[in-house]
Amino acid sequence: EPDFVIRLQELLNIHGLPPAHLELEFSATGSFSNIETARQRLRELRELGVSIAIDDFGIGANGFSSLEYIPANIVKIDRHLVNTILNNPRQQVLVKSMLNMARELGMSAVAEGVENADTLTLLSRWSCDYAEGYLFNRPLAADAFIQWYRERYG
């Protein structure tokens, strides 16, 4: 939409949310009907300060090509690759390579599907920037998240 970035900026202003606190995710397995328009809007969002993440990275036919057309600053490595790394040396090579590639491209990396401390330890050893998964918590509704956050962090 031609006015998407302007409307989003207005909403951020209305609600007092700095653009750097917003992250929009796009699936590496999805497609855009007009890649050039989408790329331009994503660039505008990045210039505004919004983070752009490529979700489900590493699966699907167009995973690596998404690095070309999505001007992202975050790569979220798909949980199907992450949750098997402890017992699968080939998956270890793939995930480690993706982490290195993200670093080389100046991107942050998020490992999805971290379900145990051993996986987190291995990812930490490989300098993974962030991790998400059931090890930390199950998905929560907004109200439940607010309560959980207050209990945990005051």
Side-chain angles (χ1 to χ4, degrees), residues 104-119:
E104 289 290 321
L105 292 171
M107 304 169 91
S108 296
V110 179
E112 298 179 313
V114 177
E115 298 181 1
N116 59 63
D118 291 339
T119 300

Side-chain angles (χ1 to χ4, degrees), residues 45-105:
L45 288 166
R46 287 287 309 277
E47 290 169 7
L48 182 63
V50 172
S51 291
I52 304 297
I54 299 174
D55 196 21
D56 303 328
F57 187 76
I59 62 166
N62 64 348
F64 285 96
S65 67
S66 64
L67 294 173
E68 175 65 27
Y69 69 86
I70 299 177
N73 54 318
I74 300 167
V75 173
K76 297 184 77 174
I77 300 171
D78 188 74
R79 66 182 177 85
H80 291 99
L81 295 170
V82 173
N83 66 18
T84 60
I85 60 174
L86 289 179
N87 301 315
N88 189 329
R90 292 178 68 84
Q91 296 294 79
Q92 290 179 12
V93 170
L94 289 172
V95 171
K96 224 185 325 186
S97 298
M98 289 176 190
L99 292 171
N100 289 331
M101 180 183 57
R103 236 183 331 277
E104 289 290 321
L105 292 171

